[in-house]
Amino acid sequence: MRFVIFTHSLVSDWNHGNAHFLRGIASELLSLGHELRIFEPKDGWSRQNLLREQGQVAIDEFERAFPHLRSTLYDDSTLDLDGALYGADVVIVHEWNPPGLIARIGRHRAAHDYMLFFHDTHHRSVSDRNSIAVYDLRHFDAVLAYGSVIRDAYLQHGWAARAWTWHEAADTRVFRPLSWVKRGDLVWIGNWGDDERADALREFLIEPVRKLGIRARVYGVRYPPEALRDLAKAGIEYGGWLPNYKAPEIFAQYSVTIHVPRRPYVEALPGIPTIRPFEAMACGIPLISARWNDCEGLFSQGEDYLMARNTSEMTSHLSTLLSQSVMRDRLREHALQTIRSRHTCMHRVKELFSFLASSQLVGALEESRG
């Protein structure tokens, strides 16, 4: 089959988590023998920030790390949509695209025969409804939402006639356990962002590290000066931006990691852990999560990860895991099995094909091609 994907960026994961999942999905589609074209804007926000901060070397390193993945840069004002979508069977458009382009692709779908999906991996459907309501999805066949609460929002508000839950997952071609010499106790990989979890990071990361006096390091972008000062006061090293595909070798150097959800996922979007816990578990590093509601039963609390409701519990869990190798091994092995049995990008590709089959698209295409 011929797939076409419009994304904010395949190449840059600078504050752009969807790139992680997209790379895994693209790799699995290609491994199955499907054709794939990926389009990203040449002036995309994530790509431009990556170039400004890291230079062309970051993109060159991506191409060496993923020699099988390439995207086509386009200018929205000159994009030849007929050429981009020629022969397409399935088109996926990520929600971080301009409303004008989304509407334009929808109109193209109305005049052509392919399946068109809108892919939502953000909390705006609940936290900023107006930003989603402006999208013209009349001609889209369905929404792929990375949580049931988001799927339900599209249906309840009449933004789409059909929507499926399509959780993110780990790209296990990249995220896997590695052997490495340990250099510290705790590592956290994540962005500070727009203060959506500033208080939680102080509660679940900075204060427990300060109390325990353990060796900790943080990677990510968009850390304001005051956040960097807080890290330094707690004795936490700051590593800056880290290419996502290098996370496995970093995880291998530490004994434990944590997950700190952004505020909207704690308060309004139960059941969505975002992609970081999937990736950490796939790398075999024990995980402690700040509070979130796994109402969709993705993992088993206490077996795949530990939950901390406050600073005291996070401090206690960290102390326990760092001193008890048997417990670390138990969490690691159980989480690895959970990922490998349910939450890989190949699992999500199979789910995508089940969506297509339920729409009778696969059978129709096979019949038309003899």
Side-chain angles (χ1 to χ4, degrees):
M1 296 177 68
R2 299 183 183 95
F3 287 80
V4 178
I5 297 176
F6 282 85
T7 182
H8 178 71
S9 184
L10 169 75
V11 172
S12 175
D13 55 35
W14 197 99
N15 203 58
H16 175 45
N18 180 246
H20 308 190
F21 184 55
L22 172 59
R23 293 166 184 171
I25 293 297
S27 296
E28 299 299 358
L29 287 172
L30 290 171
S31 76
L32 294 172
H34 299 287
E35 298 178 27
L36 176 64
R37 286 173 284 176
I38 300 174
F39 292 86
E40 65 175 275
K42 66 179 183 181
D43 60 350
W45 178 85
S46 178
R47 183 187 183 94
Q48 293 306 308
N49 275 286
L50 179 65
L51 285 169
R52 181 163 47 251
E53 182 179 294
Q54 302 293 327
Q56 180 64 34
V57 64
I59 293 178
D60 295 341
E61 289 180 353
F62 163 82
E63 292 178 349
R64 285 192 291 270
F66 296 93
H68 58 294
L69 297 182
R70 291 294 180 269
S71 60
T72 298
L73 298 178
Y74 71 88
D75 184 327
D76 194 17
S77 64
T78 60
L79 175 64
D80 175 11
L81 208 54
D82 285 331
L85 297 174
Y86 179 78
D89 296 315
V90 180
V91 179
I92 300 175
V93 182
H94 189 251
E95 49 87 16
W96 204 358
N97 275 290
L101 176 63
I102 291 168
R104 186 180 168 199
I105 295 173
R107 291 192 296 270
H108 188 277
R109 166 65 180 91
H112 296 80
D113 187 19
Y114 54 80
M115 182 66 80
L116 178 59
F117 291 132
F118 185 70
H119 188 201
D120 191 330
T121 61
H122 200 268
H123 56 68
R124 291 185 299 156
S125 59
V126 172
S127 63
D128 185 11
R129 293 177 182 175
N130 291 336
S131 67
I132 299 297
V134 301
Y135 291 134
D136 182 359
L137 303 180
R138 287 175 295 171
H139 303 299
F140 280 69
D141 293 283
V143 169
L144 301 175
Y146 84 143
S148 294
V149 65
I150 295 177
R151 175 203 63 196
D152 293 345
Y154 276 88
L155 298 175
Q156 291 168 2
H157 297 297
W159 296 331
R162 180 186 293 175
W164 288 301
T165 300
W166 200 39
H167 284 288
E168 292 181 318
D171 177 3
T172 49
R173 294 171 179 271
V174 175
F175 290 87
R176 62 196 189 281
L178 299 177
S179 297
W180 210 272
V181 176
K182 296 297 179 184
R183 62 173 293 178
D185 300 309
L186 165 68
V187 65
W188 185 66
I189 302 173
N191 305 319
W192 190 270
D194 301 310
D195 285 333
E196 289 177 340
R197 58 182 166 202
D199 291 340
L201 286 173
R202 293 185 174 95
E203 180 180 4
F204 293 101
L205 170 64
I206 296 173
E207 188 60 17
V209 169
R210 186 193 66 77
K211 285 186 173 182
L212 292 171
I214 58 179
R215 295 170 297 169
R217 190 171 179 86
V218 164
Y219 292 89
V221 299
R222 302 183 72 193
Y223 281 71
E226 59 271 23
L228 295 176
R229 287 194 295 269
D230 287 346
L231 292 178
K233 288 179 181 178
I236 301 172
E237 298 177 345
Y238 175 60
W241 175 73
L242 179 76
N244 192 54
Y245 56 85
K246 291 186 178 180
E249 62 189 65
I250 297 300
F251 282 139
Q253 299 175 48
Y254 291 83
S255 298
V256 66
T257 190
I258 65 171
H259 174 52
V260 184
R262 294 176 185 267
R263 188 184 310 116
Y265 295 102
V266 176
E267 297 178 351
L269 290 165
I272 301 176
T274 72
I275 201 165
R276 298 283 189 185
F278 293 105
E279 294 174 341
M281 291 181 191
C283 289
I285 184 171
L287 175 72
I288 307 171
S289 178
R291 54 186 177 271
W292 72 287
N293 181 3
D294 185 12
C295 61
E296 296 189 45
L298 298 175
F299 306 112
S300 296
Q301 182 182 331
E303 295 182 304
D304 292 322
Y305 68 98
L306 301 182
M307 176 79 80
R309 293 171 295 179
N310 50 47
T311 299
S312 177
E313 289 191 359
M314 178 61 79
T315 304
S316 176
H317 287 329
L318 283 171
S319 179
T320 299
L321 282 183
L322 290 173
S323 64
Q324 297 185 15
S325 61
V326 172
M327 188 171 185
R328 291 200 304 272
D329 290 343
R330 180 175 61 80
L331 280 176
R332 176 188 300 114
E333 292 303 321
H334 199 284
L336 267 173
Q337 179 58 31
T338 296
I339 293 296
R340 291 170 176 173
S341 64
R342 301 173 57 194
H343 300 310
T344 70
C345 284
M346 181 56 82
H347 286 105
R348 300 304 182 255
V349 166
K350 291 179 180 179
E351 288 176 2
L352 178 61
F353 277 94
S354 73
F355 300 152
L356 296 173
S358 71
S359 303
Q360 299 181 331
L361 174 66
V362 173
L365 287 171
E366 291 175 348
E367 182 179 340
S368 68
R369 291 172 181 169

